[in-house]
Amino acid sequence: MLNGDTIKLLRECDAGTKMAVYSMDEICDKISDTDFKNVVTASRQKHERLGNEIHTQLEKCDDSAKEPNVFAKGMSWLKTNAKLAVEESDAVCADLLTEGCNMGVKSLCRYYNQYAAADEQAQGFCKELIHLEENLAKEIRSYL
């Protein structure tokens, strides 16, 4: 049986991957540049793959997955749609995704520190997710 910190960190990472996939799904149809869309699609696939691995690990612990915070998800949807209603452009999409990545990195680093007793695998998942978020933000800078 895994310790409490491990399960809590896995839950947060699971919710983080779901939030990232949800956000990318919301924005992808609004992106006009093919290369930009390909970057986002590839990142979405990486997030989904990692999320599936995390979910499998949680199932091994007989633990349920954590859904993203309903308020955070709703605010993300509202902000995305409000900004895109004013101006639907790749720059706005890149800005929204970058903000999401930055918030994700901030939250994941906090959870990584908060659940310091988590096992190496859970910490590795968290580090990988942080890396995915940082890379996406870096890759889309030219579209800002």
Side-chain angles (χ1 to χ4, degrees), residues 54-70:
I54 293 166
H55 187 77
T56 298
Q57 190 61 32
L58 280 168
E59 285 178 337
K60 287 179 183 177
C61 305
D62 290 327
D63 197 80
S64 59
K66 180 179 177 182
E67 292 299 319
N69 180 294
V70 174

Side-chain angles (χ1 to χ4, degrees), residues 7-23 25 51-52 54-55 58-59 63-74 107 111:
I7 292 171
K8 289 174 185 172
L9 186 57
L10 287 171
R11 283 180 192 152
E12 296 300 344
C13 290
D14 187 51
T17 59
K18 289 176 181 173
M19 187 67 191
V21 167
Y22 169 79
S23 297
D25 284 345
N52 289 339
I54 293 166
H55 187 77
L58 280 168
E59 285 178 337
D63 197 80
S64 59
K66 180 179 177 182
E67 292 299 319
N69 180 294
V70 174
F71 180 73
K73 199 171 177 181
S107 296
Y111 295 131

Side-chain angles (χ1 to χ4, degrees), residues 97-121:
L97 286 170
T98 300
E99 284 181 21
C101 289
N102 292 339
M103 288 181 1
V105 168
K106 180 181 170 183
S107 296
L108 290 164
C109 287
R110 182 178 339 111
Y111 295 131
Y112 183 86
N113 294 330
Q114 183 177 355
Y115 303 123
D119 70 17
E120 285 183 31
Q121 184 180 36

Side-chain angles (χ1 to χ4, degrees), residues 30 62 65 75 86 96 128 134 137:
K30 309 294 185 194
D62 290 327
M75 289 303 294
V86 173
L96 288 164
E128 185 176 349
E134 290 173 334

